[in-house]
Amino acid sequence: MAFIVNSKIQIQDLTNMFPFTKYSKIYYAVSGILILAAIASLIVFGLKFGIEFTGGSTMEVDFTSHRPSNEAISKALAEFSLGDIVVQPTGSNGVVLQFKGIDEATHQKVLTKLQALAPLQEKSFQYIGPSVGQDLKNKTEIAILLALVSITFYIAFAFRKISRPVSSWKYGITSLVALFHDVLIPVGVFSLLGHFLNVEITIPIIAALLTILGFSVHDTIVIFDRIRENILRRGVKSFDETVDWSLNQTIGRSISTVVTVLLVMFSLFFFGGETLKYFSLALIIGITSGAYSSIFIASPLLVSWQKWSEKRLAKR
């Protein structure tokens, strides 16, 4: 009797569920457009890296009375041949200056020139050599690559007991595709921001990208784990139906998790100050993209791959 009741509940759940995988071509088209746009932006504009990666000097000062205009500051420092000077206002009277690397003597001359514009207090000065910046850039690329590969192998290992109808390594590959999707889109956005608004890729943004990888794969694993449970309970009669059922069971949890995180990120973006603004923006874009890819890319991609494999076997 319990089995009959349980079967009725399952049938009712299946009839009320939303067929996510039915519209997979639409999801692929949307993601394809976004990815192509991101790649095009990277090819045309590239990325504007901060001095942590390119080398140079950064100085933060706080004017005690009034803050001179950006044009006045740039004009006053033109005689020192500092290259492209980036003037970034912070707070009510603060300014962060970025320019090519200088020695201590030139640093003191720059400080004196700024004091001639208005009284100020220097908060920090930092110089990073070009070799150190290039080494940091190489290590950052290696860190992201190792994170992607490690996550792929972990998922393949975690799902090693599930070999039908989709092999365990395919779970790892589809999650890797979703992760590339989640990182590439915010990187493309920052390529545009770097070109039009002079926004630079800094260490906090790299930290945000690595955080996005962890958040995205966590959401994907939750859905994959539910697919595995349903396969073990119901068998592998209809894989697309099992995936749809699993997505309907987990979508409430995915949405609520993303919304709560985004509330914090939007708070940081609007009230966290200039230093956290683009860090939180990277997380907002990446976490939103990660939630989308976990539901609409990774899981439907498993179904598409399984159907393609069946068609290929049928032709033999």
Side-chain angles (χ1 to χ4, degrees), residues 45-272:
F45 303 128
L47 291 172
K48 185 176 179 61
F49 287 96
I51 64 168
E52 300 100 321
F53 301 102
T54 59
S57 299
T58 179
M59 176 190 295
E60 184 176 1
V61 298
D62 195 9
F63 292 95
T64 55
S65 58
H66 70 282
R67 179 171 58 202
S69 66
N70 292 1
E71 293 78 10
I73 293 173
S74 298
K75 187 176 180 180
L77 301 181
E79 64 180 89
F80 299 109
S81 301
L82 300 177
D84 293 330
I85 303 175
V86 177
V87 183
Q88 182 179 351
T90 59
S92 57
N93 288 323
V95 168
V96 174
L97 302 172
Q98 294 181 356
F99 38 79
K100 75 175 187 179
I102 57 175
D103 56 22
E104 183 58 27
T106 307
H107 166 220
Q108 293 302 323
K109 292 179 181 178
V110 169
L111 193 58
T112 302
K113 195 70 175 181
L114 291 174
Q115 286 175 333
L117 292 176
L120 60 83
Q121 179 182 4
E122 184 180 35
K123 298 179 69 175
S124 66
F125 175 78
Q126 184 181 19
Y127 168 71
I128 298 177
S131 59
V132 175
Q134 184 60 42
D135 182 59
L136 183 59
K137 186 187 293 185
N138 294 335
K139 288 181 178 179
T140 299
E141 293 172 353
I142 293 172
I144 293 177
L145 182 62
L146 286 177
L148 289 170
V149 173
S150 300
I151 288 170
T152 303
F153 278 110
Y154 167 75
I155 293 177
F157 177 79
F159 290 86
R160 66 191 183 279
K161 294 182 180 180
I162 303 295
S163 59
R164 294 181 60 201
V166 176
S167 301
S168 61
W169 62 270
K170 291 183 180 179
Y171 286 88
I173 295 299
T174 53
S175 67
L176 182 62
V177 172
L179 289 175
F180 270 116
H181 171 280
D182 302 338
V183 171
L184 192 57
I185 290 176
V187 168
V189 171
F190 274 88
S191 175
L192 292 172
L193 292 175
H195 179 74
F196 292 106
L197 298 179
N198 209 34
V199 176
E200 298 178 338
I201 300 295
T202 58
I203 292 296
I205 293 177
I206 298 299
L209 293 178
L210 291 172
T211 304
I212 290 166
L213 292 179
F215 187 92
S216 176
V217 76
H218 173 263
D219 205 28
T220 302
I221 287 176
V222 169
I223 297 172
F224 281 1
D225 195 55
R226 183 56 61 93
I227 293 173
R228 175 175 59 180
E229 290 178 2
N230 288 330
I231 288 175
L232 294 174
R233 291 175 182 175
R234 303 174 65 237
V236 293
K237 223 173 211 186
S238 178
F239 185 60
D240 55 344
E241 188 179 271
T242 301
V243 171
D244 283 336
W245 193 27
S246 302
L247 287 170
N248 277 270
Q249 290 175 321
T250 55
I251 190 170
R253 176 258 176 210
S254 298
I255 292 175
S256 61
T257 302
V258 170
V259 169
T260 52
V261 174
L262 288 180
L263 288 174
V264 177
M265 291 301 105
F266 275 110
S267 298
L268 282 176
F269 180 79
F270 289 110
F271 307 112

Side-chain angles (χ1 to χ4, degrees), residues 20 219 223 247 251 254-255 290-300:
F20 285 95
D219 205 28
I223 297 172
L247 287 170
I251 190 170
S254 298
I255 292 175
Y292 173 84
S293 69
S294 297
I295 299 171
F296 299 106
I297 299 298
S299 301

